[in-house]
C-alpha cells in the first residue's frame, strides 16, 4: 500500500545555512493515510493479518500516535475494522491535543477508540488489547493485534530493512544519517539493512522517548531479535549504535524551544513540515551538531508525523516565529 520508493531530495537552503550538503529521505510521502515511517512497518503486520483472515485490527499508542492513525487507514483500505487504544503518555496536554490532528483522523476513519491511563506500561497496554480481542472473538470477529512491547517479534523493522535497501539503489552516498529512535524498529531496520547491504554509513538515532543509555539497550535487544527473525547473524556492532538524547527534554511528546525553532526554520527555508514529537527533535539535533557536520553530506530521514502539528497548535502559539 505504500507509495515506494520515496523521493530523496536535496535541502539546499537549509544545508547552506548549516554548512553541509543536506538531503532528506521523504518517508513522510509513503502515501496512504498521510504516510510516514509506520506505513512501511504496517505493510508487514497487516500482511500477516490478511494471511490470518483478520476482520479487526487492534493497536495501542499515544493520543497523538501516528502509528495508530496509519493502521486505521490501512485497515480501512483492507476492509477491516480498527480498534485504537490511546495512552496517557504526555502530561499537561491541551484540549486540541485530545481532539485535533491524528485523533480527528482516527475518528474520521471510524476507528473505535479506547483510553488507557498509563503511557509507560507497554506490556499492560498490549494485555488490555488482548482483552478487547477476546471480546471481539465472542462476537464472531477475527482480531489481529499489532503489538507494542519489546518482547514481541520486531516484525515492523522488516519494512526498514527494505527501506535501507531502497536507499542503496537511489544512487547517493552519505557521510551521516539522522533518524528518530522511539520503539527503535525504524532505527534497527535501517542499521540492519545497510550493514547487510555492505554499507557502513553511520546512523545517528535521535532519542524521543528514553535517554541514550536505556535506548541503546533497547536497540541492541531489538537488533538481536531482528537477526533471529531474519535467521541471519547480526552484522551490526555495538559501537555502530549511535544515539543522541540532547533533544529529548522535556520528555516524550513535549517540545523544547530548540525543537520548535527547528520546525519553524525548516518550514521557512524549505517549505518542509516536521512534526513535534519525532522529526522536529531529529532536526534540532542535526542543527545543534552542525559544527561537526560542516562540509559533510548528511541525510535527514523524514519519518512523517505532520498531522500531530494540529494537535500542538497551542504550543506553537506561544512560540515567537
Ligand atoms: C513520525 C514518526 N517518526 C518516528 C517514529 C519512531 O519510529 P520507531 O517507533 O520505529 O522508532 C514514529 C513512531 O511512532 C513516528 O510516528
Amino acid at each position: 500500500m505504500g507509495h515506494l520508493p520515496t523521493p530523496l531530495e536535496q535541502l539546499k537552503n537549509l544545508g547552506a545555512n548549516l554548512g553541509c550538503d543536506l538531503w532528506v529521505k521523504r518517508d513522510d510521502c509513503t502515501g496512504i493515510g498521510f504516510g510516514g515511517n509506520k506505513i512501511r512497518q504496517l505493510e508487514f503486520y497487516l500482511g500477516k493479518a490478511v494471511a490470518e483472515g483478520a476482520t479487526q485490527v487492534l493497536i495501542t499508542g499515544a493520543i497523538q500516535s501516528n502509528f495508530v492513525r496509519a493502521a486505521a487507514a490501512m485497515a480501512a483500505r483492507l476492509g477491516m475494522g480498527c480498534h485504537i487504544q490511546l495512552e496517557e503518555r504526555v502530561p499537561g496536554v491541551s484540549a486540541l491535543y485530545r481532539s485535533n490532528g491524528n485523533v480527528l483522523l482516527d475518528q474520521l476513519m471510524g476507528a473505535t477508540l479506547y483510553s488507557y491511563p498509563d503511557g509507560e506500561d507497554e506490556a499492560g497496554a498490549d494485555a488490555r488489547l488482548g482483552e478487547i480481542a477476546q471480546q471481539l472473538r465472542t462476537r464472531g470477529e477475527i482480531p489481529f493485534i499489532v503489538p507494542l512491547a519489546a518482547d514481541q517479534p520486531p516484525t515492523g523493522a522488516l519494512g526498514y530493512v527494505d527501506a535501507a535497501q531502497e536507499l542503496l539503489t537511489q544512487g547517493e552516498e552519505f557521510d551521516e544519517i539522522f533518524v528518530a529512535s522511539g520503539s527503535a524498529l525504524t532505527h534497527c531496520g535501517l542499521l540492519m539493512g545497510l550493514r547487510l547491504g555492505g554499507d557502513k554509513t553511520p546512523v545517528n538515532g535521535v532519542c524521543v522517548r528514553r535517554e541514550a543509555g536505556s535506548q541503546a539497550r533497547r536497540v541492541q535487544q531489538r537488533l538481536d531479535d531482528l537477526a533471529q527473525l531474519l535467521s541471519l547473524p547480526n552484522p551490526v556492532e555495538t559501537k555502530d549504535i549511535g544515539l543522541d538524547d540532547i533533544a529529548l527534554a522535556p520528555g516524550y511528546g513535549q517540545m523544547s524551544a530548540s525543537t520548535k525553532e527547528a520546525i519553524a526554520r525548516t518550514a521557512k527555508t524549505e517549505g518542509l513540515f516536521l512534526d513535534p514529537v519525532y522529526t522536529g527533535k531529529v532536526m534540532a539535533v542535526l542543527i545543534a551538531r552542525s559544527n561537526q557536520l560542516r562540509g559533510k553530506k548528511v541525510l535527514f530521514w523524514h519519518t512523517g508525523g505532520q498531522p500531530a502539528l494540529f494537535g500542538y497548535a497551542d504550543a506553537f502559539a506561544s512560540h515567537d516565529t
Side-chain angles (χ1 to χ4, degrees), residues 95-174:
L96 273 182
Y97 179 91
R98 294 184 180 282
S99 61
N100 208 339
N102 283 308
V103 180
L104 170 66
L105 302 177
D106 298 341
Q107 285 167 338
L108 282 176
M109 290 184 284
T112 307
L113 304 185
Y114 307 76
S115 62
Y116 192 73
D118 193 331
E120 295 303 329
D121 176 17
E122 291 187 335
D126 279 349
R128 168 82 189 292
L129 288 184
E131 290 165 19
I132 299 170
Q134 203 45 45
Q135 288 162 16
L136 289 170
R137 268 185 213 103
T138 63
R139 288 195 242 143
E141 300 284 357
I142 305 174
F144 180 87
I145 296 177
V146 179
L148 177 67
D151 61 347
Q152 301 292 319
T155 308
L158 297 173
Y160 271 86
V161 174
D162 284 356
Q165 283 163 2
E166 178 182 302
L167 177 71
L168 296 179
T169 63
Q170 287 183 302
E172 300 290 340
E173 286 179 14
F174 297 94

Side-chain angles (χ1 to χ4, degrees), residues 37-38 41 66-67 180-186 275 278-279 303-305:
N37 61 329
K38 296 295 175 175
Q41 299 186 7
N66 302 300
F67 199 16
S181 191
S183 75
L185 295 187
T186 303
D275 83 288
Y278 302 95
T279 54
T303 48

Side-chain angles (χ1 to χ4, degrees), residues 12-270:
K12 284 195 177 156
N13 302 329
L14 187 54
N17 278 183
L18 298 176
C20 64
D21 182 13
L22 183 60
W23 291 66
V24 58
K25 177 70 171 154
R26 296 294 305 270
D27 272 9
D28 55 322
C29 299
T30 49
I32 181 161
F34 279 124
N37 61 329
K38 296 295 175 175
I39 304 296
R40 291 188 191 265
Q41 299 186 7
L42 284 160
E43 295 268 15
F44 285 85
Y45 291 109
L46 295 189
K48 232 172 145 191
V50 169
E52 290 175 15
T55 57
Q56 305 285 329
V57 174
L58 285 73
I59 188 162
T60 189
I63 292 174
Q64 281 296 333
S65 165
N66 302 300
F67 199 16
V68 306
R69 176 257 305 159
M74 293 171 86
R77 184 73 66 86
L78 291 167
M80 297 176 187
C82 191
H83 296 255
I84 292 177
Q85 176 169 268
L86 297 177
E87 303 165 20
E88 295 289 338
R89 216 182 268 177
V90 182
V93 295
S94 68
L96 273 182
Y97 179 91
R98 294 184 180 282
S99 61
N100 208 339
N102 283 308
V103 180
L104 170 66
L105 302 177
D106 298 341
Q107 285 167 338
L108 282 176
M109 290 184 284
T112 307
L113 304 185
Y114 307 76
S115 62
Y116 192 73
D118 193 331
E120 295 303 329
D121 176 17
E122 291 187 335
D126 279 349
R128 168 82 189 292
L129 288 184
E131 290 165 19
I132 299 170
Q134 203 45 45
Q135 288 162 16
L136 289 170
R137 268 185 213 103
T138 63
R139 288 195 242 143
E141 300 284 357
I142 305 174
F144 180 87
I145 296 177
V146 179
L148 177 67
D151 61 347
Q152 301 292 319
T155 308
L158 297 173
Y160 271 86
V161 174
D162 284 356
Q165 283 163 2
E166 178 182 302
L167 177 71
L168 296 179
T169 63
Q170 287 183 302
E172 300 290 340
E173 286 179 14
F174 297 94
D175 298 314
E176 304 271 348
I177 296 174
F178 286 78
V179 69
S181 191
S183 75
L185 295 187
T186 303
H187 185 183
C188 290
L190 259 188
L191 258 180
M192 181 70 77
L194 290 173
R195 298 305 180 260
L196 288 175
D199 184 280
K200 295 274 179 216
T201 311
V203 178
N204 300 280
V206 171
C207 297
V208 294
R209 181 101 196 259
R210 300 168 199 86
E211 48 82 26
S214 102
Q215 188 67 2
R217 288 190 290 281
R218 185 169 180 119
V219 172
Q220 183 68 66
Q221 184 205 327
R222 303 269 63 194
L223 280 168
D224 293 341
D225 296 340
L226 180 56
Q228 204 180 342
L229 187 64
L230 291 165
S231 307
L232 290 169
N234 181 1
V236 182
E237 295 173 43
T238 304
K239 66 173 173 44
D240 250 5
I241 301 174
L243 284 162
D244 196 326
D245 61 10
I246 55 164
L248 177 60
Y252 174 82
Q254 301 173 73
M255 287 183 288
S256 65
S258 63
T259 297
K260 289 184 202 172
E261 175 55 32
I263 293 171
R265 189 165 169 185
T266 308
K268 280 181 194 159
T269 56
E270 296 288 352

